[in-house]
C-alpha cells in the first residue's frame, strides 16, 4: 500500500473512531493497530497530529485514539524512534493533566500510554512525571495513579526512584483533604510497598543489590501513621478498604519496634473492619500480611491477640462461600492462610480450638471447623503428626452428622487424612466405612429443597465425591492397599450397600490386580481364616445377580464380572480357566450395549449358561449342593428387589440341574415353594422359572414335588381365630395355586422334548384345566401363561415329530374368552396381551383353523387392542388402583407385540396375497380412523406384517401380487398424516410393498432398487411438520410408485386414491390429491376409456370434500385429464345436467387454470356455437296458439361452460388472445337468447341417469341471463373495467335481457366499447360481419344494433372500419326484418355524429337510404321513417349544398305529410328536418314558396301540446326566417323564438299577421284558406291557434283586402269552432 493510501485510510479510520457503536470502535482500534504494527512511527505521528489538530474532539473519540496509541506502543516499543517516544510521552502527559477535573476514561487512557512506554524508557517517563510531582503542591490524581501503575509494571526500574518519591509524597499526605486523593495515595503506597518487597525478594536480579528494607522504613512508617491515625477512620467504605490494603502491604516494611508497638491497635482495628464492610477479601488479605509480618519478626504481642482473633477468624471461615462470586472464594482461602500462619506459632492452641468447635452441632460452624482441619492436615504436616490420634477421635462425631454439606466436608477431611497416614491407625476403618456408606447413597428425591442455596449438596453429588475418593484411595494412596484388600468384600453382600456395588467392585478389581501383579500371597483369600468376610458361594451368586442387571447401580455389570475373574482363585481354583475364556466376550457385549439395546432375555441366558459351565468345571456335587443351599438362604436379601430375587431363583434352578442328589433337589424345591412370597407376580414367575429349569434334569422329581405341594397342608383352608383370617387365607391359597399352575407351564417348556408330550395331558393339563373358570386375576394370568408355555413346548417338539393337539380349540376358545372379558376402554392387567400371546403360540399347532375361526379370532384381538384409549390418557374416576405411566406403557407395548406375533403366525400359515388380504381387511378400516392412536396402531401393525411377509416370501410360482394397488391406495395418503409416527410407518409399508412386488417380478432377495431405496431419504423429510415439505415428498413418493406399479394395478390405486380424497384427516385427503395428480400426469395418458367414469367419481367426491386445498387439487385432476383427453373431457362435462351444479361449475372453472388448454376449449366451443341451432320453435301448449322459442341443450351448456371457465383468473391470457372472437360469439349468442325459454326436457340426453333433473328450473337459470353473465365476465376477465362501469350504472345488462329493451342494451354496450375499448373493435367487427347474413333475425338485430351505435363514434374512422360498417348498413337496408332495416338507417344517420367528415363522401348513399326510409311502406310504427328523418336531419348538418340542392324540394315534399302526424316524435323530427333543410333552400324561389306553404303549420304548432314539437317549431321558424322574404318577420322570429324562452302566443300572432298583411298582401287568400284547414285539427291547441290567427288577421286587415278573402268559409268555420267542446277553442 502506498504512503498516501495509508494516510487516507488512517485518517478515515481516525474519523470513524467517533462512532457510537462500541463494536465499530473496537474494529477501528484493531484496524489502526494493524497499520501501526507495519508502520508504527507513521501511524503514531498521524494519531498525535490528529489529536493536536482537533482539540475539541469528544472525550470518547480521544479515548479510542489514545487507546490505539497505547496498543501500538505495547506491540512495537522496541522499534519506535526515540524522538517519537519523547513526543508520545509529552502528548500523553499533556492529555492526562490538561483537565484539572478527573475524567477517568480520557486520563486513564493517557496514563496507560505512559505506563506502556515506562517499561523501557523509565527515566524519560520519570523526568516527565516528576516535573508534575513537585513538593508542596498536590499533584494531579492521575500523576499519582501513573506512578503506582509504573511501580507495578516495572519493579526494577521504579524502586530506585521510590525513596525520592516517598520523600516528596509524605508532606502531600497531610494536605490531602479530598477522598479521591487519599484513595490514590493509599493505592500508590500499597503498590510501592509490594514493589519494594518484590525487589528485595529478588535482589539477585535487581540492578542495585544494595537496596535494603530500612531504606524505606522511616518514610513508610510516617505514611503509616497518617493512614492509620486519620484516613482509616473515613466514612467512605472504598477508601477504608484501600487504606487497609495499604497498611497490610506496608507492615512488612515498618521498623520491627514500631510494628510491635502498633500491633495491639493495628490487629483489633483491622479485625473491626469486617463489621464495617461487606467486602472482606481485602481485609483478610491485609490481616494475613500483618500477621505474617508479626510472625516473621517473632512478635510477643501477638499471643495476647490470639483468642479474640481465632473467634473472629472462625466466624469468617464459617461464612457461606459462593463459588459464582470470586471475592468470597478468595476471602475464604485468605482466612485459611491466616490459620496456617497462626498454626506455625500456636499449634496446640489452634488444634484444641478447632476440635472444640468441631463438637458444635451447628452446620456452618462444623463446616468451617472441618475446612480449617482439612487445611491444617494438608498444610502443616509436621506440626499435625503428633495430633493424629486426637483428630481421629474427634472426627467420629461429625461422621454422624446428617447434613450433606457437613458430610461433603467430612469426605474432604478423610481424603486429606488418607494421604497423611491416618486410615492405617486404629479407627481408620470407620472412615472407610463412611466413604462406602455414602457410595451407596440413593438419588435425592426432594430436589430443589434449597433452590437458592449455592452450597446445597445433593445425594448424587455427595455419592460421586465418595466414589472418586474411594478410587483415589485405591489408585494413589499405596499404603491403603492392605487396609482395603480384602476388607472391602465385606460391603459387597449386605443389601444396604447394594448401591455402592459399582465403585466397590472397581476398587477391588484394581486392588486385586495390583496384588496379583506383585504376586503377593494375600491375593488369594482364605475365606475360612477371615470370618468377617462373606462365603465364596454367596460372593459368586451376588456378583452373578449383579451382572444380570448390568446397567443398574451406575453400570455394575462389567465391574462385577471383572471382580469374578479377579476372585476366581479364591472362590474355586477350577473356575479360573472357565471365567477367563467366558467372561471377556460377555464384557465386550456389554461395552457395545446400552440399557435400551441390551436383550435382557439372551443376557440372562448367557449368565445362566456361565453358571452352568462353572458348575460343570468345578464338577463337585458337594460344592454345587452347598451353593444351592446358601443361595436359597440368601434369597431374603433380595426381598426389596424382586427382579434380582427372580434371577436368583433361576440360578438355583440351574444349580439344581447339576446336583445329583435327589434328596437335595427335593429339599431345595420344597424350601423354595414354602418360603416364596406367592403374592408377588415377579417372585412367582421367578420361582416357576427356577423350578422349570430344574425340571430339565429332574422331570419326574419336579412333577412329583409339585403334585405333593398341591396336596400339602398349605392348600387347606384354615379357619383361623373364629374364622377371622379366612378371607386372607383364601387369597393366599389362590396365589399359591397360581404359582403352581405357572410352574407346570415352565416345567413343560424346559422338560426334555422326548418326555414331555406324553405328560402334557396326563400330568400337566389335568392339573391346570380345572381352574379355567376362576375369577381370580392372578390365577387367570398364570393359566394364560401356562397355556402359552405349553403351546410353545408342543411347538418345539412337533418340529421333530408330528402331533395333532386335540385340545387346541378348547384352549384357544378359553384364551379368546379372556380377551373378550377385558374392559374395552382400559388396560390394567396383562390378561389381554398374555392371552393373545397364548393364541399366537396355539395358532402354530395342528389342526389348522377354519376361515371362520380365523375371522373370529382376528376380529376379537384387533378390536380389543385398537379400541384401547391412548397410553397417555390417564384413567380417572375409577375405583380400581390407577397404574403409573411406566406400567401402562409396558402393558401397551406388550399387548401390541403379542398382537403382532399372532398376526405373523397367522400369516405364516398362508403366506400369499390372499392370506395377506385376509388380515389386512381387518386393519384397513382403522387406517382412516379419526383417532390418532388407532391410525398409529393400524399402520404400525401393517408395517410389521409386511416386513414379515417380505422376510418369509419365497416366490416359487408365477403369482401376481394382485392387491398391490389397493394396499398402496390405502397406505400412501397416510404419508402426510398429522401423526409423525403414522407418516414414517406408512412410508416403511410402501417401501416393503414395492420390494414384495419386485420379488414377485423375479428379483432376488438381496436386490436393491435405486428408486425404492430413495424412499429412505424421503422418510427423513417426513419428520418435518411443514405441509409444503410433506406434499413435495408425497409427490416424489408417487413418482417412485408410478415407476414400479404394474399397469393392471394402476387403476385400482387411482380409484382408492379417489376414496382418500374424503379422508377425515385433512393432510391425508390433500396427500391423496397430490398423489392422484402425480399419477395422472405420469400415466393418465393411457386411461382414455376411464375418463368419463373418473370425472363422475370426482364430481361425486367434490360434493363431500370440505377441505379447500383438496378441492383445488381435484380441479387440478380435471385439468390434467383435460390436457391428455381434451375432447373426451369436454364432451363428458358438456353432457352434465343443466343448470350445472356447483361441483360441475368447479370442474369447468378448473379448466380455465391452464391458458393454453382454456384457449383450445374456447375455440372448440366457439366453432360449435357458430354452427349449432341456438333454439327451436315449438308450440308451448296445446291450449295456447302460436310458437315459442326453446333453447337447445348443447349451445346453452357451452355458454354456461364458457362463463365458468372465464371465472378462473388464470384464463386471462386465453381470454385476451381470443377476446374478439369470444366477444363476437357471446354477443351473437346473446342475440339468439333473448326471449328464449328453457325446455323441460333439456337434460333428456345428459349423462348419469341418477343426476337428471326433474321439475322446474331455478328461477335464476335464464337462457339470456347466462349469455349476458358470460359476456360480462368476459369483459371483466379482459380487464375492461372502464367498459363495465357505465354498463353497470346504466342498467345495460338488464336491458339486454329484456326483449323490449334489448337494442337499447346493445347500444349501451357498443357505446362503452367504442369509448373504452376502441383498439379491440376492428377484429370484433370483422368477426361479427358474417353474422349479419345469419338466418336468425335476432342475431342480425343484435349485431346491426351494435354496429349502428359504433357509427355514432369517431373511433370507427380512426380505426378504418368505416367502409366495412357502411357496406354492412347498406346491405341491411333491404333486410327482410323491419327492425334490422330501421337499425341500418339509424346507423347511417349516426355517421354524421361519429364521423361528420365522412358525410359528403357517402352523401349519395346516405340521401338515397334516408329517402328510401321515408318512403318505407312496411313500417307499421313508422320507426323506419322516423329514423330516416332523424338520420337525415343529422346528415344535413354536414352535407355540402351541392349534394343536396337538387333534392331539397323533393325532400320537403316528403316531409310535409308528417308535419301533422299524430305521433309526437314524428312531428318533432319532421319539423327539425324541415328546419335543417332551410340552409340549402336560401335564394331558391321554389323553396321560399314551400316555406310559406308550411309557415301556418309551424306557427300553429308553436301552440302544440308536445313541448318537444314546440321547441322544434321554434327552431324551424327561426332557421327558415331568412328564406321567408320579410326582414320584419325574420327579425321577429330571431328575437322571440328561442327554445328556452317563453312566448306570448297572442301578441306574437297579432304582430305576425300585421307583417304578413304588409309584406305579403298577395298571399292573404292562401294564408286564410290554409288556416281554415286547421279548424279541423285533432289538437285543441292547434284549433284554438287557428281561430286566433284568423281573428288577428281579420282584425288587422285593411278594408280593401277583405275582398281577397272568402268570408263565407271563414264565418262557417268559426261557427263550428264556437261549438267546439274544448273551452280553449270556443273561447278563442
Amino acid at each position: 500500500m502506498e504512503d498516501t493510501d495509508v494516510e487516507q485510510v488512517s485518517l478515515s479510520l481516525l474519523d470513524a473512531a467517533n462512532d457510537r457503536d462500541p463494536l465499530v470502535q473496537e474494529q477501528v482500534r484493531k484496524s489502526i493497530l494493524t497499520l501501526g504494527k507495519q508502520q508504527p512511527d507513521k501511524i503514531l505521528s498521524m494519531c498525535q497530529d490528529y489529536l493536536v489538530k482537533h482539540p475539541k474532539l469528544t472525550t470518547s473519540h480521544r479515548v479510542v485514539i489514545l487507546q490505539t496509541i497505547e496498543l501500538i506502543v505495547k506491540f512495537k516499543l522496541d522499534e519506535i524512534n526515540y524522538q517519537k517516544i519523547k513526543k508520545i510521552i509529552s502528548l500523553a502527559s499533556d492529555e492526562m493533566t490538561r483537565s484539572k477535573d478527573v475524567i477517568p476514561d480520557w486520563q486513564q487512557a493517557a496514563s496507560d500510554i505512559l505506563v506502556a512506554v515506562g517499561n523501557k524508557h523509565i527515566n524519560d517517563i520519570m523526568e516527565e512525571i516528576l516535573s508534575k510531582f513537585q513538593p508542596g503542591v498536590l499533584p494531579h490524581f492521575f500523576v499519582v495513579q501513573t506512578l503506582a501503575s509504573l511501580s507495578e509494571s516495572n519493579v526494577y526500574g521504579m524502586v530506585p526512584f521510590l525513596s525520592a518519591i516517598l520523600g516528596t509524597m509524605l508532606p502531600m499526605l497531610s494536605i490531602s483533604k479530598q477522598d479521591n486523593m487519599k484513595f490514590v495515595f493509599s493505592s500508590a503506597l500499597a503498590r510501592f510497598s509490594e514493589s519494594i518487597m518484590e525487589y528485595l525478594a529478588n535482589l539477585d536480579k535487581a540492578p542495585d543489590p544494595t537496596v535494603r528494607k530500612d531504606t524505606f522504613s522511616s518514610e513508610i512508617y510516617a505514611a503509616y501513621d497518617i493512614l492509620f491515625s486519620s484516613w482509616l477512620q473515613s466514612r467512605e467504605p472504598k477508601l477504608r478498604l484501600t487504606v487497609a490494603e495499604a497498611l497490610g502491604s506496608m507492615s512488612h516494611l515498618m521498623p520491627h519496634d514500631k510494628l510491635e508497638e502498633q500491633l495491639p491497635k493495628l490487629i483489633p482495628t483491622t479485625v473491626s473492619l469486617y463489621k464495617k464492610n461487606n467486602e472482606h477479601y481485602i481485609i483478610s488479605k491485609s490481616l494475613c500480611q500483618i500477621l505474617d509480618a508479626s510472625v516473621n519478626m517473632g512478635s510477643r504481642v501477638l499471643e495476647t491477640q490470639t483468642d479474640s482473633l481465632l473467634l473472629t477468624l472462625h466466624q469468617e471461615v464459617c461464612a457461606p462461600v459462593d463459588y459464582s462470586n470470586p471475592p468470597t472464594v478468595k476471602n475464604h482461602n485468605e482466612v485459611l492462610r491466616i490459620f496456617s500462619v497462626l498454626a506455625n506459632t500456636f499449634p496446640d492452641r489452634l488444634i484444641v480450638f478447632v476440635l472444640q468447635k468441631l463438637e458444635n452441632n451447628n452446620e456452618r460452624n462444623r463446616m468451617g471447623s472441618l475446612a480449617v482441619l482439612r487445611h491444617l492436615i494438608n498444610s502443616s504436616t509436621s506440626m499435625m503428626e503428633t495430633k493424629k490420634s486426637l483428630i481421629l477421635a474427634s472426627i467420629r462425631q461429625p461422621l454422624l452428622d446428617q447434613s450433606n454439606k457437613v458430610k461433603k466436608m467430612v469426605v474432604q477431611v478423610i481424603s486429606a487424612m488418607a494421604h497423611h497416614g491416618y486410615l492405617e491407625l486404629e479407627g481408620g476403618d470407620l472412615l472407610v466405612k463412611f466413604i462406602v456408606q455414602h457410595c451407596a447413597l440413593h438419588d435425592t428425591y426432594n430436589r430443589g429443597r434449597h433452590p437458592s442455596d449455592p452450597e446445597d449438596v445433593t445425594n448424587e453429588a455427595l455419592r460421586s465425591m465418595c466414589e472418586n475418593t474411594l478410587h483415589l484411595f485405591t489408585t494413589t494412596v499405596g499404603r491403603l492397599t492392605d487396609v482395603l484388600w480384602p476388607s472391602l468384600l465385606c460391603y459387597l453382600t449386605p443389601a444396604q450397600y447394594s448401591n455402592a456395588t459399582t465403585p466397590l467392585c472397581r476398587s477391588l478389581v484394581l486392588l486385586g490386580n495390583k496384588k496379583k501383579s506383585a504376586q503377593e500371597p494375600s491375593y488369594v483369600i482364605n475365606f475360612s481364616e477371615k470370618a468377617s468376610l462373606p462365603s465364596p458361594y454367596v460372593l459368586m451368586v451376588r456378583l452373578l445377580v449383579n451382572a444380570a442387571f448390568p446397567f443398574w447401580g451406575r453400570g455394575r455389570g462389567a465391574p462385577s464380572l471383572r471382580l469374578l475373574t479377579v476372585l476366581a482363585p479364591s472362590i474355586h481354583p477350577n473356575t479360573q480357566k472357565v471365567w477367563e475364556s467366558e467372561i471377556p466376550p460377555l464384557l465386550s457385549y456389554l461395552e457395545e450395549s446400552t440399557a435400551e439395546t441390551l436383550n435382557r432375555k439372551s443376557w440372562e441366558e448367557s449368565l445362566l449358561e456361565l453358571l452352568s459351565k462353572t458348575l460343570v468345571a468345578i464338577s463337585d456335587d458337594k460344592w454345587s449342593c452347598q451353593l444351592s443351599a446358601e443361595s436359597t438362604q440368601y434369597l431374603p436379601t433380595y426381598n426389596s428387589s424382586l427382579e434380582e430375587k427372580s434371577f436368583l431363583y433361576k440360578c438355583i434352578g440351574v444349580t439344581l440341574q447339576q446336583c445329583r442328589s435327589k434328596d437335595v433337589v427335593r429339599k431345595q424345591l420344597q424350601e423354595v415353594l414354602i418360603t416364596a412370597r406367592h403374592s408377588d407376580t415377579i417372585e412367582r414367575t421367578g420361582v416357576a422359572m427356577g423350578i422349570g429349569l430344574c425340571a430339565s434334569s429332574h422331570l419326574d422329581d419336579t412333577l412329583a414335588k409339585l403334585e405333593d405341594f398341591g396336596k400339602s397342608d398349605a392348600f387347606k383352608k384354615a379357619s383361623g381365630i373364629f374364622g377371622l383370617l379366612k378371607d386372607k387365607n383364601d387369597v393366599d391359597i389362590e396365589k399359591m395355586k397360581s404359582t403352581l399352575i405357572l410352574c407346570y407351564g415352565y416345567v413343560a417348556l424346559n422338560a426334555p422334548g422326548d418326555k414331555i408330550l406324553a405328560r402334557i395331558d396326563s400330568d400337566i393339563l389335568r392339573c391346570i384345566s380345572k381352574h379355567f373358570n376362576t375369577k381370580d386375576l392372578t390365577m387367570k394370568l398364570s393359566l394364560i401363561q401356562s397355556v402359552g408355555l405349553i403351546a410353545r413346548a408342543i411347538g418345539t417338539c412337533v418340529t421333530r415329530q408330528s402331533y395333532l393337539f386335540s385340545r387346541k380349540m378348547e384352549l384357544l376358545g378359553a384364551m379368546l374368552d379372556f380377551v373378550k372379558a377385558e374392559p374395552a376402554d382400559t388396560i390394567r392387567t396383562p390378561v389381554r396381551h398374555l392371552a393373545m400371546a397364548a393364541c399366537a403360540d396355539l395358532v402354530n399347532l395342528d389342526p389348522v383353523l377354519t376361515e371362520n375361526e380365523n375371522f373370529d379370532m382376528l376380529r376379537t384381538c384387533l378390536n380389543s387392542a385398537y379400541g384401547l384409549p391412548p397410553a397417555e390418557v390417564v384413567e380417572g374416576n375409577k375405583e380400581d388402583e390407577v397404574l403409573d405411566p411406566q406400567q401402562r406403557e409396558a402393558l401397551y407395548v406388550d399387548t401390541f407385540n403379542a398382537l403382532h406375533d399372532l398376526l405373523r403366525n397367522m400369516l405364516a400359515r398362508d403366506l400369499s396375497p390372499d392370506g395377506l388380504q385376509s388380515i389386512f381387511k381387518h386393519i384397513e378400516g382403522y387406517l382412516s380412523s379419526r383417532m390418532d392412536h388407532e391410525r398409529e396402531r393400524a399402520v404400525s401393525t401393517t408395517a410389521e406384517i409386511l416386513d414379515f411377509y417380505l422376510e418369509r416370501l419365497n416366490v416359487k410360482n408365477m403369482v401376481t401380487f394382485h392387491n398391490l394397488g389397493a394396499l398402496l391406495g390405502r397406505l400412501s395418503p397416510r404419508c402426510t398424516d398429522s401423526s409423525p409416527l403414522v407418516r414414517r410407518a406408512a412410508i416403511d409399508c410402501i417401501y416393503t410393498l414395492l420390494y414384495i412386488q419386485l420379488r414377485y417380478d423375479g428379483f432376488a432377495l438381496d436386490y436393491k432398487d435405486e428408486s425404492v431405496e430413495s424412499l429412505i431419504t424421503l422418510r427423513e423429510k417426513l419428520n418435518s411438520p411443514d405441509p409444503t415439505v410433506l406434499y413435495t415428498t408425497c409427490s416424489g413418493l408417487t413418482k417412485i410408485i408410478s415407476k414400479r406399479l404394474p399397469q393392471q394395478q394402476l387403476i385400482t390405486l387411482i380409484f382408492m386414491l379417489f376414496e382418500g380424497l374424503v379422508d377425515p384427516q385433512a393432510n391425508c385427503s390433500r396427500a391423496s390429491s397430490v398423489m392422484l395428480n402425480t399419477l395422472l400426469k405420469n400415466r393418465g395418458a393411457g386411461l382414455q376409456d376411464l375418463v368419463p367414469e373418473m370425472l363422475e367419481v370426482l364430481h361425486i367426491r367434490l360434493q363431500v370434500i370440505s377441505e379447500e386445498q383438496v378441492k383445488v387439487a381435484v380441479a387440478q385432476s380435471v385439468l390434467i385429464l383435460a390436457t391428455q383427453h381434451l375432447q373426451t373431457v369436454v364432451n363428458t362435462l358438456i353432457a352434465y345436467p343443466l343448470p350445472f351444479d356447483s361441483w360441475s361449475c368447479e370442474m369447468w372453472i378448473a379448466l380455465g387454470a391452464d391458458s393454453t388448454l382454456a384457449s383450445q376449449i374456447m375455440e372448440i366451443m366457439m366453432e360449435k356455437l357458430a354452427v349449432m341451432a341456438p333454439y327451436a320453435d315449438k308450440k308451448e301448449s296445446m291450449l295456447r296458439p302460436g310458437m315459442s322459442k326453446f333453447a337447445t341443450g348443447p349451445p346453452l351448456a357451452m355458454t354456461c361452460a364458457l362463463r365458468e371457465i372465464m371465472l378462473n383468473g388464470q384464463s386471462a391470457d386465453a381470454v385476451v388472445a381470443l377476446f374478439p372472437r369470444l366477444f363476437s360469439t357471446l354477443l351473437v349468442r346473446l342475440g339468439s337468447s333473448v326471449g328464449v325459454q328453457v325446455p323441460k326436457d333439456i337434460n333428456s340426453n345428459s349423462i348419469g341417469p341418477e343426476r337428471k333433473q326433474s321439475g322446474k328450473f331455478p328461477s335464476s337459470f335464464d337462457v339470456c341471463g347466462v349469455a349476458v353473465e358470460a359476456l360480462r365476465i368476459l369483459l371483466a376477465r379482459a380487464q375492461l373495467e372502464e367498459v363495465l362501469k357505465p354498463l353497470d350504472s346504466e342498467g345495460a345488462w338488464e336491458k339486454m335481457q329484456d326483449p323490449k329493451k334489448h337494442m337499447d342494451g346493445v347500444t349501451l354496450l357498443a357505446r362503452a366499447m367504442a369509448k373504452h375499448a376502441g383498439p379491440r373493435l376492428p377484429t370484433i367487427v370483422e368477426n361479427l360481419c358474417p353474422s349479419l347474413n345469419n338466418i336468425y333475425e335476432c342475431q342480425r338485430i343484435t349485431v346491426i344494433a351494435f354496429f349502428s351505435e359504433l357509427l355514432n363514434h369517431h373511433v370507427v374512422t380512426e380505426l378504418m372500419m368505416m367502409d366495412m360498417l357502411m357496406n354492412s348498413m347498406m346491405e341491411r337496408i333491404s333486410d327482410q326484418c323491419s327492425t334490422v332495416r330501421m337499425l341500418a338507417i339509424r346507423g347511417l344517420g349516426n355517421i354524421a355524429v361519429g364521423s361528420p367528415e365522412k358525410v359528403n363522401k357517402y352523401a349519395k348513399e346516405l340521401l338515397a337510404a334516408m329517402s328510401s326510409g321515408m318512403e318505407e311502406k312496411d313500417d307499421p310504427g313508422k320507426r323506419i321513417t322516423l329514423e330516416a328523418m332523424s338520420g337525415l336531419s343529422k346528415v344535413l348538418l354536414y352535407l355540402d349544398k351541392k349534394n343536396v340542392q337538387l333534392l331539397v324540394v323533393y325532400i320537403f315534399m316528403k316531409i310535409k305529410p308528417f308535419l301533422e302526424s299524430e305521433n309526437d316524435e314524428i312531428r318533432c323530427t319532421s319539423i327539425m328536418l324541415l328546419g335543417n333543410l332551410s340552409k340549402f333552400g336560401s335564394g331558391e324561389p321554389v323553396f321560399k314558396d314551400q316555406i310559406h306553404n308550411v309557415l301556418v303549420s309551424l306557427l300553429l304548432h308553436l301552440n302544440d301540446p308536445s313541448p318537444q314539437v314546440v321547441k322544434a317549431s321554434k327552431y324551424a321558424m327561426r332557421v327558415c326566417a331568412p328564406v321567408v322574404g320579410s326582414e320584419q318577420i325574420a327579425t321577429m322570429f330571431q328575437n322571440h323564438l328561442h327554445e328556452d324562452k317563453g312566448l306570448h302566443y297572442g301578441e306574437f300572432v297579432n304582430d305576425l299577421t300585421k307583417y304578413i298583411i304588409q309584406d305579403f298582401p298577395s298571399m292573404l287568400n292562401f294564408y286564410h284558406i290554409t288556416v281554415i284547414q286547421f279548424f279541423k285539427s285533432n289538437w285543441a291547441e292547434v284549433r284554438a291557434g287557428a281561430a286566433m290567427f284568423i281573428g288577428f288577421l281579420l282584425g288587422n286587415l285593411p278594408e280593401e283586402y277583405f275582398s281577397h278573402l272568402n268570408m263565407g268559409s271563414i264565418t262557417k268555420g268559426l261557427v263550428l269552432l264556437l261549438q267546439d267542446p274544448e273551452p280553449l277553442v270556443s273561447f278563442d
Side-chain angles (χ1 to χ4, degrees), residues 12 64 334 748 795 805 1554:
S12 298
V64 174
E334 205 64 39
F805 186 34
K1554 291 176 182 178

Side-chain angles (χ1 to χ4, degrees), residues 56-75:
K56 295 184 180 180
L57 289 178
T58 62
T59 301
S60 60
H61 198 169
R62 299 190 84 84
V63 167
V64 174
I65 297 171
L66 290 170
Q67 287 173 342
T68 308
I69 292 172
E70 182 215 346
L71 289 171
I72 296 171
V73 169
K74 274 186 178 178
F75 280 102

